[in-house]
Amino acid sequence: MSYFTSLSPIAQAAIATCFTWLMTALGASMVFFFKNINKKVLNAMLGFAAGVMIAASFWSLLAPALEMAENAGNKTPWIPAAVGFLCGGAFLFLVDKILPHLHQGEPIEHAEGISTSWQRSILLVLAITLHNIPEGLAVGVAFGAIAANLPSASEAGAIALALGIGLQNFPEGAAVSIPLRRERLSRAKSFWYGQLSGIVEPIAGVIGALLVIIMRPILPYALAFAAGAMIYVVVEELVPEGQSEAAHSDIATLGTMLGFTVMMVLDVALG
């Protein structure tokens, strides 16, 4: 840990997001052991991911954004948080409309984004990749904020965020690779595409860390931006998918409660 703390925030962000990517890969490796994924289990996974992202959005991103704006002498600290939050949602809204993707269980005709002739399996992977962009960005911004030497930006808090994102990436990786196996892909290809969905996290993480270090005044906006992007994913993607079957909706709800609690405890205890 002493070696890790001696690294620059950008290097820390790269390592932390490589960890979250690794957790996605470990989850994707479940395809070598299981042929199918129970719908109740899938709903619980989606709910857990949603809970982690909701808690992280407030405890690790919005609250520090408000505190940083106040410490900077901003008389209206809610403005950077509100503007950044809405811009994060707007960014994911545009990506959602542009990036071709398909949600689990949907026919190919229901693919979203620009029209394409890509295979169904690729579109399914891109749907999860869309989730991972704000996750990597959030971790990167959290580590980049350490360079600003502000009381609310702590290394422990950034590590807690990376741990929380990594925890929910494990079931998310399985939720990608196992359904791909049902699409008649080999186990090796299902694993490859499953772990590949997390490759955007290190990329987004390094970009996020670089931006806040280069342009420190935008830090509260950047934190809130990542929060808005994550909440958009939760409301637009995770909650509807987890609640798609009324008979199993309570499982997703309980998963959300558990995910929120785990992330809250991690952030408060470590941060």
Side-chain angles (χ1 to χ4, degrees), residues 50 53-58 62 85 89 134 225-237 239:
M53 293 175 72
I54 293 170
S57 295
F58 176 74
L62 282 175
F85 186 83
F225 181 95
M230 289 213 292
I231 292 298
Y232 182 91
V233 167
V234 170
V235 179
E236 174 70 12
E237 312 285 351
V239 170

Side-chain angles (χ1 to χ4, degrees), residues 33-236:
F33 306 98
F34 302 98
K35 293 182 179 179
N36 296 295
I37 183 168
N38 184 277
K39 181 60 178 175
K40 290 184 179 180
V41 174
L42 178 60
N43 285 356
M45 289 178 175
L46 292 170
F48 184 85
V52 167
M53 293 175 72
I54 293 170
S57 295
F58 176 74
W59 296 100
S60 299
L61 299 170
L62 282 175
L66 289 165
E67 186 177 343
M68 288 176 187
E70 288 177 351
N71 292 339
N74 195 323
K75 295 182 179 179
T76 53
W78 53 268
I79 290 181
V83 171
F85 186 83
L86 292 175
C87 286
F91 171 74
L92 257 290
F93 173 80
L94 292 175
V95 174
D96 187 59
K97 298 302 179 185
I98 296 172
L99 182 70
H101 62 283
L102 179 67
H103 301 298
Q104 301 286 355
E106 294 288 340
I108 190 70
E109 295 79 14
H110 290 177
E112 300 179 25
I114 59 175
S115 179
T116 178
S117 59
W118 291 348
Q119 295 179 354
R120 176 184 172 87
S121 57
I122 299 298
L123 296 175
L124 288 169
V125 172
L126 287 175
I128 302 298
T129 302
L130 182 65
H131 299 179
N132 290 331
I133 294 174
E135 294 171 11
L137 182 65
V139 174
V141 168
F143 278 99
I146 299 171
N149 295 319
L150 296 173
S152 53
S154 69
E155 199 167 74
I159 291 173
L161 177 60
L163 286 174
I165 296 297
L167 280 175
Q168 65 97 26
N169 274 1
F170 181 86
E172 198 170 72
V176 182
S177 63
I178 294 176
L180 284 177
R181 176 64 175 158
R182 293 203 303 268
E183 298 291 326
R184 299 181 180 179
L185 270 69
S186 68
R187 292 184 188 275
K189 282 189 176 181
S190 297
F191 166 75
W192 174 253
Y193 285 130
Q195 65 81 31
L196 199 61
S197 68
I199 191 63
V200 294
E201 292 197 7
I203 298 171
V206 170
I207 291 174
L210 276 170
L211 286 176
V212 298
I213 289 174
I214 294 172
M215 298 178 285
R216 290 190 183 186
I218 72 165
L219 186 49
Y221 294 91
L223 288 166
F225 181 95
M230 289 213 292
I231 292 298
Y232 182 91
V233 167
V234 170
V235 179
E236 174 70 12

